[in-house]
Coordinates of all heavy atoms in Angstrom, one line a residue:
M12 N 1.4 -6.2 -5.8 CA 1.3 -5.0 -4.9 C 2.6 -4.9 -4.2 O 3.1 -5.9 -3.6 CB 0.1 -5.2 -4.0 CG -0.1 -4.0 -3.1 SD -1.7 -3.9 -2.3 CE -2.1 -5.5 -1.7
R13 N 3.2 -3.7 -4.2 CA 4.4 -3.5 -3.4 C 4.2 -2.4 -2.4 O 3.6 -1.4 -2.7 CB 5.6 -3.3 -4.4 CG 5.7 -1.9 -5.0 CD 6.9 -1.8 -5.9 NE 6.8 -0.5 -6.6 CZ 7.3 0.6 -6.2 NH1 8.0 0.7 -5.1 NH2 7.1 1.7 -6.9
T14 N 4.9 -2.6 -1.3 CA 4.8 -1.6 -0.2 C 5.8 -0.5 -0.6 O 7.0 -0.8 -0.9 CB 5.2 -2.2 1.1 OG1 4.4 -3.3 1.4 CG2 5.2 -1.2 2.2
V15 N 5.3 0.7 -0.6 CA 6.2 1.9 -0.9 C 6.5 2.7 0.4 O 7.5 3.4 0.4 CB 5.7 2.8 -2.0 CG1 5.6 2.0 -3.3 CG2 4.3 3.3 -1.7
A16 N 5.7 2.6 1.4 CA 6.0 3.3 2.6 C 5.1 2.8 3.8 O 4.0 2.3 3.6 CB 5.7 4.8 2.5
E17 N 5.7 2.9 5.0 CA 5.0 2.7 6.2 C 5.2 3.9 7.1 O 6.3 4.4 7.2 CB 5.5 1.5 6.9 CG 5.1 0.2 6.2 CD 5.5 -1.1 7.0 OE1 6.0 -1.0 8.2 OE2 5.3 -2.2 6.5
L18 N 4.1 4.5 7.6 CA 4.2 5.7 8.4 C 3.8 5.4 9.8 O 2.8 4.8 10.1 CB 3.2 6.8 7.8 CG 3.4 7.1 6.3 CD1 2.3 8.1 5.9 CD2 4.8 7.8 6.2
P19 N 4.6 6.0 10.7 CA 4.2 5.8 12.1 C 3.1 6.7 12.5 O 2.9 7.8 12.0 CB 5.5 6.3 12.9 CG 6.2 7.2 11.9 CD 5.8 6.7 10.5
H20 N 2.2 6.2 13.4 CA 1.1 6.9 13.9 C 0.7 6.3 15.2 O 0.8 5.1 15.4 CB -0.1 6.9 13.0 CG -1.2 7.9 13.3 ND1 -2.1 7.7 14.3 CD2 -1.4 9.1 12.8 CE1 -2.9 8.7 14.4 NE2 -2.5 9.6 13.5
P21 N 0.4 7.1 16.3 CA 0.2 6.6 17.6 C -1.1 5.7 17.7 O -1.2 4.9 18.6 CB 0.1 7.8 18.5 CG -0.2 8.9 17.6 CD 0.4 8.6 16.2
E22 N -2.1 5.9 16.8 CA -3.4 5.3 16.9 C -3.6 4.1 16.0 O -4.4 3.2 16.2 CB -4.5 6.3 16.7 CG -4.6 7.3 17.8 CD -5.8 8.2 17.6 OE1 -6.9 7.7 17.6 OE2 -5.6 9.4 17.4
F23 N -2.9 4.1 14.8 CA -3.0 3.0 13.9 C -1.8 2.9 13.0 O -0.9 3.7 13.0 CB -4.3 3.2 13.0 CG -4.6 4.7 12.7 CD1 -3.9 5.4 11.8 CD2 -5.6 5.3 13.3 CE1 -4.2 6.7 11.5 CE2 -6.0 6.6 13.1 CZ -5.2 7.3 12.1
K24 N -1.8 1.8 12.3 CA -0.7 1.5 11.3 C -1.1 2.1 9.9 O -2.2 1.8 9.5 CB -0.4 0.0 11.2 CG 0.7 -0.4 10.3 CD 0.9 -1.9 10.2 CE 2.0 -2.2 9.2 NZ 2.1 -3.7 9.1
I25 N -0.2 2.8 9.3 CA -0.5 3.3 7.9 C 0.5 2.7 7.0 O 1.7 2.8 7.2 CB -0.3 4.8 7.9 CG1 -1.3 5.5 8.9 CG2 -0.6 5.3 6.5 CD1 -1.0 7.0 9.1
T26 N 0.0 2.0 5.9 CA 0.9 1.4 4.9 C 0.4 1.9 3.6 O -0.8 2.0 3.3 CB 0.8 -0.1 4.9 OG1 1.1 -0.6 6.3 CG2 1.9 -0.7 4.0
I27 N 1.4 2.3 2.7 CA 1.1 2.8 1.4 C 1.6 1.8 0.4 O 2.8 1.4 0.5 CB 1.7 4.2 1.1 CG1 1.1 5.2 2.1 CG2 1.4 4.6 -0.3 CD1 1.8 6.5 2.1
F28 N 0.8 1.3 -0.5 CA 1.1 0.4 -1.5 C 1.0 1.0 -2.9 O 0.3 2.0 -3.0 CB 0.2 -0.9 -1.5 CG 0.2 -1.6 -0.2 CD1 -0.8 -1.3 0.8 CD2 1.1 -2.6 0.1 CE1 -0.9 -2.0 2.0 CE2 1.1 -3.2 1.3 CZ 0.1 -3.0 2.2
S29 N 1.7 0.4 -3.9 CA 1.5 0.8 -5.3 C 1.1 -0.5 -6.0 O 1.7 -1.5 -5.9 CB 2.8 1.3 -5.8 OG 2.7 1.7 -7.2
M30 N 0.0 -0.3 -6.8 CA -0.4 -1.5 -7.6 C -1.3 -0.9 -8.8 O -2.2 -0.1 -8.6 CB -1.3 -2.5 -6.8 CG -1.7 -3.7 -7.6 SD -2.6 -4.9 -6.5 CE -4.2 -4.1 -6.5
N31 N -1.0 -1.4 -10.0 CA -1.9 -1.0 -11.2 C -2.1 0.5 -11.3 O -3.2 0.9 -11.5 CB -3.2 -1.8 -11.1 CG -3.1 -3.3 -11.2 OD1 -2.1 -3.8 -11.7 ND2 -4.0 -3.9 -10.6
R32 N -1.0 1.2 -11.2 CA -1.0 2.7 -11.3 C -1.9 3.4 -10.3 O -2.4 4.4 -10.5 CB -1.3 3.1 -12.7 CG -0.2 2.7 -13.7 CD -0.5 3.2 -15.1 NE -0.2 2.2 -16.0 CZ -1.0 1.7 -16.9 NH1 -2.2 2.2 -17.0 NH2 -0.7 0.7 -17.6
K33 N -2.0 2.7 -9.1 CA -2.8 3.3 -8.0 C -2.0 3.3 -6.7 O -1.2 2.3 -6.5 CB -4.1 2.6 -7.8 CG -5.1 2.7 -8.8 CD -6.4 2.0 -8.5 CE -7.4 2.2 -9.6 NZ -8.1 1.0 -9.9
F34 N -2.1 4.3 -5.9 CA -1.6 4.2 -4.5 C -2.8 3.7 -3.7 O -3.9 4.1 -3.8 CB -1.2 5.6 -4.0 CG 0.1 6.1 -4.6 CD1 0.1 7.2 -5.4 CD2 1.3 5.4 -4.4 CE1 1.3 7.7 -6.0 CE2 2.5 5.9 -4.9 CZ 2.5 7.0 -5.7
I35 N -2.5 2.7 -2.8 CA -3.4 2.2 -1.9 C -3.0 2.5 -0.5 O -1.9 2.2 -0.1 CB -3.5 0.6 -2.1 CG1 -4.0 0.3 -3.5 CG2 -4.5 0.0 -1.1 CD1 -3.8 -1.1 -3.9
I36 N -3.8 3.2 0.2 CA -3.5 3.7 1.5 C -4.3 2.9 2.5 O -5.5 2.9 2.5 CB -3.8 5.2 1.7 CG1 -3.2 6.0 0.6 CG2 -3.3 5.7 3.1 CD1 -3.8 7.4 0.4
K37 N -3.6 2.1 3.3 CA -4.3 1.2 4.3 C -4.0 1.6 5.7 O -2.9 1.8 6.1 CB -3.8 -0.3 4.1 CG -4.6 -1.2 5.0 CD -4.4 -2.7 4.6 CE -3.1 -3.3 5.0 NZ -3.1 -4.7 4.9
F38 N -5.1 1.8 6.4 CA -5.0 2.1 7.9 C -5.5 0.8 8.6 O -6.5 0.2 8.2 CB -6.0 3.2 8.2 CG -5.6 4.5 7.6 CD1 -6.0 4.9 6.3 CD2 -4.8 5.5 8.3 CE1 -5.7 6.1 5.7 CE2 -4.5 6.7 7.7 CZ -4.9 7.0 6.4
E39 N -4.7 0.4 9.6 CA -5.1 -0.8 10.4 C -5.1 -0.4 11.9 O -4.2 0.3 12.4 CB -4.1 -1.9 10.2 CG -4.0 -2.4 8.8 CD -2.9 -3.4 8.7 OE1 -3.2 -4.6 9.1 OE2 -1.8 -3.1 8.2
Q40 N -6.2 -0.8 12.6 CA -6.3 -0.7 14.0 C -6.9 -1.9 14.6 O -8.1 -2.2 14.4 CB -7.1 0.6 14.4 CG -7.1 0.9 15.8 CD -8.0 2.1 16.1 OE1 -9.2 2.1 15.9 NE2 -7.4 3.2 16.5
G41 N -6.1 -2.7 15.2 CA -6.6 -4.0 15.7 C -7.1 -4.9 14.6 O -6.4 -5.1 13.6
T42 N -8.3 -5.3 14.7 CA -8.9 -6.2 13.6 C -9.6 -5.4 12.5 O -10.2 -6.0 11.6 CB -9.9 -7.2 14.3 OG1 -11.0 -6.4 14.9 CG2 -9.3 -8.1 15.3
L43 N -9.6 -4.1 12.6 CA -10.3 -3.3 11.6 C -9.3 -2.7 10.6 O -8.1 -2.4 10.9 CB -11.0 -2.1 12.3 CG -12.1 -2.6 13.3 CD1 -12.6 -1.3 14.1 CD2 -13.2 -3.4 12.7
E44 N -9.8 -2.4 9.4 CA -9.0 -1.8 8.3 C -9.9 -0.8 7.6 O -11.1 -1.0 7.4 CB -8.6 -2.8 7.2 CG -7.6 -3.8 7.7 CD -7.2 -4.7 6.5 OE1 -7.7 -4.6 5.4 OE2 -6.3 -5.5 6.7
Q45 N -9.2 0.2 7.1 CA -9.8 1.2 6.1 C -8.8 1.3 5.0 O -7.6 1.4 5.2 CB -10.0 2.6 6.7 CG -11.0 2.6 7.9 CD -11.1 4.0 8.4 OE1 -11.3 5.0 7.7 NE2 -11.0 4.1 9.8
V46 N -9.3 1.3 3.8 CA -8.5 1.3 2.6 C -9.0 2.4 1.6 O -10.2 2.5 1.4 CB -8.4 -0.1 1.8 CG1 -7.6 0.0 0.6 CG2 -7.9 -1.2 2.8
Y47 N -8.0 3.2 1.1 CA -8.4 4.3 0.2 C -7.5 4.1 -1.0 O -6.3 3.8 -0.9 CB -8.1 5.6 0.8 CG -9.0 5.9 2.0 CD1 -8.6 5.4 3.3 CD2 -10.2 6.5 1.9 CE1 -9.4 5.6 4.4 CE2 -11.0 6.7 3.1 CZ -10.6 6.2 4.3 OH -11.4 6.4 5.4
K48 N -8.0 4.2 -2.2 CA -7.3 4.1 -3.4 C -7.3 5.4 -4.2 O -8.4 6.1 -4.3 CB -7.8 3.0 -4.3 CG -7.8 1.6 -3.7 CD -8.4 0.6 -4.6 CE -8.4 -0.8 -3.9 NZ -9.1 -1.8 -4.7
V49 N -6.2 5.8 -4.8 CA -6.1 7.0 -5.6 C -5.2 6.7 -6.7 O -4.1 6.1 -6.6 CB -5.6 8.2 -4.7 CG1 -4.3 8.0 -4.1 CG2 -5.7 9.5 -5.5
A50 N -5.6 7.2 -7.9 CA -4.7 7.0 -9.1 C -3.4 7.8 -9.0 O -3.4 8.9 -8.5 CB -5.5 7.5 -10.4
E51 N -2.3 7.1 -9.4 CA -1.0 7.8 -9.3 C -1.0 9.0 -10.1 O -0.4 10.0 -9.7 CB 0.1 6.8 -9.7 CG 0.3 5.7 -8.7 CD 1.4 4.7 -9.1 OE1 2.0 5.0 -10.2 OE2 1.7 3.8 -8.4
M52 N -1.7 9.1 -11.2 CA -1.7 10.3 -12.1 C -2.5 11.4 -11.4 O -2.3 12.6 -11.8 CB -2.3 10.0 -13.5 CG -3.7 9.6 -13.5 SD -4.2 9.1 -15.1 CE -5.5 10.3 -15.4
D53 N -3.3 11.2 -10.4 CA -4.0 12.2 -9.7 C -3.1 12.9 -8.6 O -3.6 13.8 -8.0 CB -5.3 11.7 -9.1 CG -6.3 11.4 -10.2 OD1 -6.2 11.9 -11.3 OD2 -7.2 10.6 -9.9
I54 N -2.0 12.3 -8.3 CA -1.1 12.7 -7.2 C 0.2 13.3 -7.8 O 0.9 12.6 -8.6 CB -0.7 11.6 -6.3 CG1 -2.0 11.0 -5.7 CG2 0.2 12.0 -5.2 CD1 -2.7 11.8 -4.7
T55 N 0.4 14.6 -7.5 CA 1.7 15.2 -7.9 C 2.8 14.8 -6.9 O 2.5 14.6 -5.7 CB 1.6 16.7 -8.1 OG1 1.2 17.2 -6.8 CG2 0.6 17.1 -9.1
D56 N 4.0 14.6 -7.3 CA 5.1 14.4 -6.5 C 5.1 13.0 -5.9 O 5.6 12.7 -4.8 CB 5.2 15.4 -5.3 CG 6.6 15.5 -4.8 OD1 7.6 15.1 -5.5 OD2 6.7 16.0 -3.6
G57 N 4.5 12.0 -6.6 CA 4.5 10.6 -6.2 C 4.1 10.3 -4.8 O 3.1 10.9 -4.3
V58 N 4.8 9.5 -4.1 CA 4.4 9.1 -2.7 C 4.5 10.3 -1.8 O 3.7 10.3 -0.8 CB 5.3 7.9 -2.2 CG1 6.7 8.3 -1.9 CG2 4.6 7.2 -1.1
N59 N 5.3 11.2 -2.0 CA 5.3 12.4 -1.2 C 4.0 13.2 -1.3 O 3.6 13.8 -0.3 CB 6.5 13.4 -1.6 CG 7.8 12.8 -1.2 OD1 7.9 12.1 -0.2 ND2 8.8 13.0 -2.0
G60 N 3.4 13.1 -2.4 CA 2.0 13.7 -2.6 C 1.0 13.0 -1.7 O 0.1 13.6 -1.2
V61 N 1.2 11.7 -1.6 CA 0.3 10.9 -0.7 C 0.5 11.3 0.7 O -0.5 11.5 1.5 CB 0.5 9.4 -0.9 CG1 -0.4 8.6 0.1 CG2 0.2 8.9 -2.3
F62 N 1.7 11.5 1.1 CA 2.0 12.0 2.5 C 1.2 13.2 2.8 O 0.7 13.4 3.9 CB 3.5 12.2 2.7 CG 4.3 10.9 2.6 CD1 5.7 11.1 2.3 CD2 3.8 9.7 2.8 CE1 6.5 10.0 2.2 CE2 4.6 8.6 2.7 CZ 6.0 8.7 2.4
Q63 N 1.2 14.1 1.8 CA 0.5 15.4 2.0 C -1.0 15.2 2.2 O -1.7 16.0 3.0 CB 0.7 16.4 0.9 CG 2.2 16.8 0.8 CD 2.5 17.6 -0.5 OE1 1.5 18.0 -1.2 NE2 3.7 18.0 -0.7
L64 N -1.6 14.2 1.6 CA -3.0 13.9 1.8 C -3.3 13.5 3.3 O -4.4 13.7 3.8 CB -3.5 12.8 0.9 CG -3.5 13.1 -0.6 CD1 -3.9 11.8 -1.3 CD2 -4.5 14.2 -0.9
L65 N -2.3 12.9 3.9 CA -2.6 12.3 5.3 C -2.3 13.4 6.3 O -1.6 13.2 7.3 CB -1.6 11.1 5.5 CG -1.7 10.1 4.4 CD1 -0.8 8.9 4.7 CD2 -3.1 9.6 4.2
D66 N -3.1 14.5 6.2 CA -2.9 15.6 7.2 C -3.7 15.3 8.5 O -4.4 14.3 8.6 CB -3.3 16.9 6.6 CG -4.8 17.0 6.2 OD1 -5.5 16.1 6.5 OD2 -5.1 18.0 5.5
E67 N -3.6 16.1 9.5 CA -4.2 15.9 10.8 C -5.7 15.8 10.7 O -6.3 14.9 11.3 CB -3.8 17.1 11.7 CG -4.3 16.9 13.1 CD -3.7 15.8 13.9 OE1 -2.6 15.4 13.6 OE2 -4.3 15.3 14.9
S68 N -6.3 16.6 9.9 CA -7.8 16.6 9.7 C -8.2 15.2 9.2 O -9.2 14.6 9.7 CB -8.2 17.7 8.8 OG -9.6 17.6 8.6
F69 N -7.5 14.7 8.2 CA -7.9 13.4 7.6 C -7.7 12.3 8.6 O -8.5 11.4 8.8 CB -7.1 13.2 6.3 CG -7.5 11.9 5.6 CD1 -8.8 11.7 5.1 CD2 -6.6 10.8 5.5 CE1 -9.1 10.4 4.5 CE2 -6.9 9.6 5.0 CZ -8.2 9.4 4.4
T70 N -6.5 12.3 9.2 CA -6.2 11.2 10.2 C -7.2 11.2 11.4 O -7.6 10.1 11.9 CB -4.8 11.2 10.6 OG1 -4.4 12.4 11.2 CG2 -3.8 10.9 9.5
Q71 N -7.7 12.4 11.8 CA -8.7 12.4 12.8 C -10.0 11.8 12.4 O -10.7 11.1 13.1 CB -8.9 13.9 13.3 CG -7.8 14.4 14.1 CD -8.0 15.9 14.5 OE1 -8.9 16.6 14.0 NE2 -7.2 16.4 15.3
S72 N -10.3 12.0 11.1 CA -11.6 11.4 10.6 C -11.4 9.9 10.5 O -12.4 9.2 10.7 CB -12.0 12.1 9.2 OG -11.1 11.7 8.2
V73 N -10.2 9.4 10.2 CA -10.0 8.0 10.1 C -10.1 7.4 11.5 O -10.8 6.4 11.7 CB -8.6 7.7 9.6 CG1 -8.2 6.3 9.8 CG2 -8.5 8.1 8.1
A74 N -9.6 8.1 12.5 CA -9.7 7.6 13.9 C -11.2 7.5 14.3 O -11.6 6.6 15.0 CB -8.9 8.5 14.9
L75 N -11.9 8.6 14.0 CA -13.4 8.6 14.3 C -14.1 7.5 13.6 O -15.0 6.8 14.2 CB -14.0 9.9 13.9 CG -15.5 10.1 14.2 CD1 -15.8 9.9 15.7 CD2 -15.9 11.5 13.7
R76 N -13.8 7.2 12.4 CA -14.4 6.2 11.6 C -14.1 4.8 12.2 O -15.0 3.9 12.3 CB -14.0 6.2 10.2 CG -14.9 5.4 9.2 CD -14.6 5.8 7.8 NE -15.0 7.2 7.5 CZ -14.2 8.2 7.2 NH1 -12.9 8.0 7.1 NH2 -14.6 9.4 7.0
F77 N -12.9 4.6 12.7 CA -12.6 3.4 13.4 C -13.4 3.2 14.7 O -13.9 2.1 14.9 CB -11.1 3.3 13.8 CG -10.2 2.8 12.8 CD1 -9.0 3.5 12.4 CD2 -10.4 1.5 12.2 CE1 -8.2 3.0 11.5 CE2 -9.5 1.0 11.2 CZ -8.4 1.8 10.9
S78 N -13.7 4.2 15.4 CA -14.5 4.2 16.6 C -16.0 3.8 16.2 O -16.6 2.9 16.8 CB -14.6 5.5 17.3 OG -13.3 5.8 17.9
E79 N -16.5 4.4 15.1 CA -17.8 4.1 14.6 C -17.9 2.6 14.1 O -18.9 1.9 14.4 CB -18.2 5.0 13.5 CG -18.3 6.4 13.9 CD -18.4 7.4 12.8 OE1 -18.1 7.1 11.6 OE2 -18.8 8.6 13.1
M80 N -16.8 2.2 13.4 CA -16.8 0.8 12.9 C -16.8 -0.2 14.1 O -17.6 -1.2 14.1 CB -15.5 0.5 12.1 CG -15.5 1.3 10.8 SD -13.9 1.2 10.0 CE -13.8 -0.5 9.6
R81 N -16.0 0.1 15.1 CA -16.0 -0.8 16.3 C -17.3 -0.9 17.0 O -17.8 -1.9 17.3 CB -14.9 -0.4 17.2 CG -14.6 -1.3 18.4 CD -13.4 -0.9 19.2 NE -12.2 -1.4 18.4 CZ -11.4 -0.6 17.6 NH1 -11.7 0.7 17.6 NH2 -10.4 -1.0 17.0
A82 N -17.9 0.3 17.2 CA -19.2 0.3 17.8 C -20.3 -0.4 17.0 O -21.1 -1.2 17.6 CB -19.7 1.8 18.0
S83 N -20.3 -0.2 15.7 CA -21.3 -0.9 14.9 C -21.1 -2.4 15.0 O -22.1 -3.2 15.1 CB -21.1 -0.5 13.4 OG -21.5 0.8 13.2
F84 N -19.9 -2.9 15.0 CA -19.6 -4.3 15.0 C -20.0 -4.9 16.4 O -20.6 -5.9 16.5 CB -18.2 -4.7 14.7 CG -17.9 -6.1 14.7 CD1 -18.3 -6.9 13.6 CD2 -17.3 -6.8 15.8 CE1 -18.1 -8.3 13.6 CE2 -17.2 -8.2 15.8 CZ -17.6 -8.9 14.7
L85 N -19.7 -4.2 17.5 CA -20.1 -4.6 18.8 C -21.6 -4.7 18.9 O -22.1 -5.6 19.6 CB -19.4 -3.8 19.9 CG -17.9 -3.9 20.0 CD1 -17.4 -2.9 21.0 CD2 -17.6 -5.3 20.5
D86 N -22.3 -3.7 18.4 CA -23.7 -3.7 18.4 C -24.3 -5.0 17.8 O -25.2 -5.6 18.3 CB -24.3 -2.5 17.8 CG -24.1 -1.2 18.6 OD1 -23.8 -1.3 19.8 OD2 -24.3 -0.1 18.1
T87 N -23.9 -5.3 16.6 CA -24.4 -6.4 15.9 C -24.0 -7.7 16.5 O -24.8 -8.7 16.6 CB -24.0 -6.4 14.4 OG1 -24.8 -7.4 13.7 CG2 -22.5 -6.7 14.1
Y88 N -22.8 -7.7 17.1 CA -22.3 -8.9 17.8 C -23.2 -9.2 19.0 O -23.7 -10.3 19.2 CB -20.9 -8.8 18.2 CG -20.3 -10.0 18.8 CD1 -19.8 -11.0 18.1 CD2 -20.2 -10.1 20.2 CE1 -19.3 -12.2 18.6 CE2 -19.7 -11.2 20.8 CZ -19.2 -12.3 20.0 OH -18.7 -13.4 20.6
K89 N -23.6 -8.1 19.8 CA -24.4 -8.3 20.9 C -25.8 -8.7 20.6 O -26.4 -9.5 21.2 CB -24.4 -7.0 21.7 CG -23.1 -6.7 22.5 CD -23.2 -5.4 23.1 CE -21.8 -5.0 23.8 NZ -21.8 -3.7 24.4
R90 N -26.3 -8.2 19.5 CA -27.7 -8.5 19.0 C -27.8 -10.0 18.6 O -28.8 -10.6 18.7 CB -28.1 -7.7 17.8 CG -28.6 -6.3 18.1 CD -29.2 -5.6 17.0 NE -28.5 -5.7 15.7 CZ -27.6 -4.8 15.3 NH1 -27.3 -3.7 16.1 NH2 -26.9 -4.9 14.2
N91 N -26.7 -10.5 18.1 CA -26.7 -11.9 17.5 C -26.0 -12.9 18.4 O -25.8 -14.0 17.9 CB -26.1 -11.8 16.1 CG -27.0 -11.1 15.2 OD1 -28.0 -11.5 14.8 ND2 -26.6 -9.8 14.8
E92 N -25.6 -12.5 19.6 CA -24.9 -13.4 20.5 C -25.9 -14.4 21.0 O -27.0 -14.2 21.3 CB -24.4 -12.5 21.6 CG -23.3 -13.2 22.5 CD -22.7 -12.3 23.5 OE1 -23.5 -11.3 23.9 OE2 -21.6 -12.4 23.8
G93 N -25.3 -15.6 21.2 CA -26.1 -16.6 21.9 C -26.8 -17.6 21.1 O -27.6 -18.3 21.3

């Protein structure tokens, strides 16, 4: 797996990898990760096509999902604490 791009974002780290003819888009926020895979042949214009997928609407949904993931984990942690 090789890193093809890292994108700045105020809420999370975005890294784009290439492996086995797929682009792997990884979002990281603290201890949480979200990973999306897309076939390179489904993207026109290579990595620039991946950049176009990462529009404001999508990144907002990623941020919301991170909030939901964190809340779910905290809930289970509290239920099983002690």
Side-chain angles (χ1 to χ4, degrees):
M12 181 163 45
R13 77 181 169 92
T14 302
V15 294
E17 289 185 4
L18 302 174
H20 192 278
E22 295 185 61
F23 33 76
K24 179 180 178 184
I25 304 171
T26 308
I27 301 170
F28 301 96
S29 178
M30 183 177 80
N31 297 333
R32 290 185 226 123
K33 290 184 182 137
F34 286 114
I35 300 166
I36 308 160
K37 182 166 81 167
F38 295 85
E39 297 175 80
Q40 188 181 65
T42 60
L43 302 174
E44 290 185 356
Q45 294 180 51
V46 177
Y47 300 85
K48 297 177 184 179
V49 61
E51 288 181 1
M52 64 185 242
D53 292 339
I54 301 292
T55 57
D56 202 23
V58 74
N59 289 327
V61 176
F62 296 156
Q63 292 175 7
L64 291 176
L65 307 179
D66 62 11
E67 183 68 23
S68 178
F69 181 67
T70 56
Q71 285 177 352
S72 70
V73 168
L75 179 60
R76 198 163 295 112
F77 273 128
S78 294
E79 293 168 347
M80 290 169 68
R81 185 168 287 100
S83 292
F84 184 76
L85 289 174
D86 287 347
T87 193
Y88 185 80
K89 287 175 185 175
R90 280 193 310 272
N91 294 286
E92 194 174 32

